[in-house]
């Protein structure tokens, strides 16, 4: 046997793998993490988002997260920084305008984070939070076996991203796949986005809770959120079941339209509302049989997302890593 080593065989104990630094910027918290190539979150820190303060104060929280993160001994192995942010984002300009952070409008987060002394010199990759989740599910999670999939985050809003031809499809400004704001009800309620009858106005957790309350459901305790509605639905409450059925119907219409447009193999659903499990997934699959009628759109697989509470940071890291080359085995 030859003793020669090929370039990709590191000697045992040397060449520890490069890591990815990740930032997850949301309206309630700003998290930072160090992620290894297999998607494991090795270390994380977080600050609450001073969402009502001025732009510089919010940036200060981001920089403190980067200070803490870069003080960790593993930071030296970070080779890039991925940033997943609440949207809208503009990846072509490197800016973000998160709905829940009022002072950040067209805020140049890529330039500002990139100017941090520990980040300077590293490539910085920005994406919206739903596209980041899509990148994570595509690389490590439930969407891995599929070349064409949509990944949804159903929580207080509805976000989504697309995998097409084996690659995450970002779009020119990084907002492609924004399923929450396609119209599924022609004469529906006005949406804050400016349109009306948006999927989000029917299928978000906020919409589910509001529909249940409007139709007379009263929570047993102080919690009147969609998760309380889900619990009631599980116990057979007809109003709660109807609220989830309506949300599932809207999601099915949006997913079916997308499947018809671009031929999807799978829809992966994550976010807090997806924790309702069968209360959401059973009517969703049923309504999909109605709306995804053409043979090439029917038979779409619906799956729960696999990444849990770390999805934001792992997603930001997956953005920085780009599309996986082939289908490598991930431990
Ligand atoms: Zn809208």
């Amino acid at each position: 046997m030859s003793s020669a080593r090929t370039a990709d065989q590191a000697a045992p104990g040397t060449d520890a793998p490069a890591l990815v630094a990740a930032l997850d910027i949301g309206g309630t918290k700003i998290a930072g993490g160090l992620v290894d190539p297999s998607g494991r979150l090795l270390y994380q820190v977080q600050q609450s988002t001073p969402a009502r303060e001025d732009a510089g104060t919010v940036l200060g929280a981001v920089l403190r997260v980067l200070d803490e993160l870069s003080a960790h001994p593993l930071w030296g192995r970070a080779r890039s920084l991925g940033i997943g942010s609440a949207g809208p984002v503009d990846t072509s300009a490197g800016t973000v305008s998160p709905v829940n952070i009022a002072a950040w409008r067209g805020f140049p987060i890529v330039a500002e984070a990139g100017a941090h002394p520990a980040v300077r010199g590293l490539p910085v990759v920005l994406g919206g939070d739903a596209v980041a989740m899509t990148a994570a599910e595509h690389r490590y999670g439930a969407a891995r076996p599929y070349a064409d999939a949509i990944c949804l985050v159903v929580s207080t809003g509805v976000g989504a991203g697309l995998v097409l031809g084996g690659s995450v499809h970002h779009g020119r400004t990084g907002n492609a796949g924004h399923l929450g704001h396609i119209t599924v009800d022609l004469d529906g309620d006005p949406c804050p986005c400016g349109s009306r009858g948006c999927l989000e106005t029917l299928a978000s957790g906020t919409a589910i809770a509001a529909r249940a309350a409007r139709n007379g459901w009263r929570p047993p305790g102080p919690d009147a959120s969609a998760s309380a509605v889900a619990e009631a639905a599980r116990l057979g409450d007809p109003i709660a079941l109807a609220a989830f059925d309506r949300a599932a119907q809207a999601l099915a219409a949006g997913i079916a339209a997308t499947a018809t447009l671009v031929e999807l193999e799978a829809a992966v659903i994550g976010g807090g509302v997806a924790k309702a499990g069968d209360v959401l997934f059973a009517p969703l699959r049923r309504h999909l049989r109605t709306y995804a009628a053409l043979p090439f759109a029917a038979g779409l697989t619906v799956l729960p997302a696999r990444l849990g509470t770390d999805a934001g940071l792992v997603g930001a890291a997956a953005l920085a890593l780009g599309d996986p080359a082939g289908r490598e085995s991930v431990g």
Side-chain angles (χ1 to χ4, degrees):
M1 292 281 283
S2 162
S3 64
R5 241 187 233 124
T6 58
D8 59 334
Q9 287 175 312
T14 65
D15 292 343
L19 304 179
V20 184
L23 272 180
D24 177 24
I25 300 174
T28 56
K29 70 174 167 64
I30 295 164
L34 289 166
V35 180
D36 80 3
S38 69
R40 263 190 319 150
L41 181 59
L42 302 180
Y43 175 64
Q44 67 171 314
V45 295
Q46 73 174 59
Q47 296 266 331
S48 56
T49 307
R52 292 159 183 231
E53 305 294 327
D54 62 278
T57 303
V58 184
L59 175 62
V62 173
L63 297 179
R64 276 198 303 283
V65 165
L66 287 172
D67 287 344
E68 274 186 67
L69 203 57
S70 59
H72 193 279
L74 286 173
W75 177 269
R77 282 162 52 192
R79 294 291 174 269
S80 56
L81 171 66
I83 305 175
S85 174
V89 301
D90 185 338
T91 53
S92 65
T95 61
V96 296
S97 309
V99 174
N100 296 331
I101 304 176
W104 275 16
R105 289 295 170 266
F107 186 80
I109 188 63
V110 170
E112 293 289 358
H116 187 281
V119 178
R120 221 171 278 151
L122 298 183
V124 180
V125 180
L126 170 69
D129 47 13
V131 175
M133 174 269 196
T134 300
E137 290 293 333
H138 173 50
R139 183 174 268 273
Y140 305 117
R144 267 190 87 216
Y146 305 103
D148 299 285
I150 187 164
C151 299
L152 289 89
V153 184
V154 187
S155 60
T156 51
V158 177
L162 289 167
V163 176
L164 297 177
S167 300
V168 175
H169 181 75
H170 296 266
R172 186 174 52 82
T173 64
N175 293 287
H178 210 336
L179 198 71
H181 294 284
I182 67 159
T183 296
V184 291
D185 181 357
L186 297 183
D187 304 309
D189 291 336
C191 177
C193 79
S195 182
R196 58 168 61 237
C198 289
L199 190 154
E200 180 169 293
T201 66
L202 292 160
S204 69
T206 317
I208 291 168
R211 174 172 290 272
R214 204 162 56 237
N215 291 338
W217 175 75
R218 293 293 172 263
D223 181 11
S225 70
S227 69
V229 180
E231 188 52 41
R234 228 171 272 125
L235 297 171
D237 183 289
I239 298 173
L241 282 165
F244 267 89
D245 187 81
R246 183 65 169 169
Q249 188 183 16
L251 288 170
I255 292 166
T258 312
T260 307
L261 204 60
V262 297
E263 292 202 38
L264 299 176
E265 298 167 274
V268 173
I269 325 276
V273 173
K275 293 202 181 89
D278 275 351
V279 165
L280 179 71
F281 283 82
L284 174 55
R285 292 191 175 103
R286 183 163 43 77
H287 286 299
L288 266 174
R289 286 198 286 276
T290 303
Y291 293 118
L294 288 167
F296 67 86
L300 173 93
T301 304
V302 178
L303 299 159
R306 199 175 294 162
L307 283 109
T309 47
D310 299 337
L313 286 171
V314 176
L319 285 174
L321 289 168
D323 287 305
R327 294 267 177 258
E328 88 272 38
S329 160
V330 175

